Amino acid sequence: IEMGPGIYGLGSAARYHFQKTPQQLTEREMSSLAAILPNPRAWSPVNPDAVVQRKIRRVERLAARSRFPARELDLESVQK
């Protein structure tokens, strides 16, 4: 997925926008990256306008209601 001009994938987006690896992102930063889709060339996860702020809140609400299997949340078991 293009996450900005010439920025492809979550890893590149995390480094470009937040100077972090994907594993270092906070939940808010992850929600911000999700919220700029489908228009990452126009919207910023770092300086969100009112539209993106509304989308961030929606992503956070949806994420709070979701349940992930414990093994998927355990990064150590996934990396083995």
Side-chain angles (χ1 to χ4, degrees):
I1 294 175
E2 185 175 16
M3 299 293 293
I7 302 164
Y8 294 92
L10 180 61
S12 294
R15 285 186 292 280
Y16 179 81
H17 292 293
F18 299 106
Q19 296 74 52
K20 296 180 178 182
T21 66
Q23 294 83 3
Q24 295 170 318
L25 293 174
T26 65
E27 288 183 24
R28 179 66 173 207
E29 291 165 340
M30 288 184 273
S31 295
S32 298
L33 287 173
I36 64 170
L37 297 172
N39 198 1
R41 288 178 169 254
W43 293 334
S44 170
V46 179
N47 297 306
D49 61 16
V51 170
V52 176
Q53 288 177 14
R54 199 166 44 251
K55 288 172 63 74
I56 291 168
R57 288 191 298 273
R58 182 167 189 249
V59 169
E60 290 173 334
R61 279 193 312 273
L62 291 171
R65 294 191 317 209
S66 298
R67 294 207 174 254
F68 291 95
R71 67 180 188 87
E72 290 186 27
L73 295 176
D74 180 10
L75 290 177
E76 289 182 24
S77 67
V78 172
Q79 293 173 350
K80 289 181 184 176

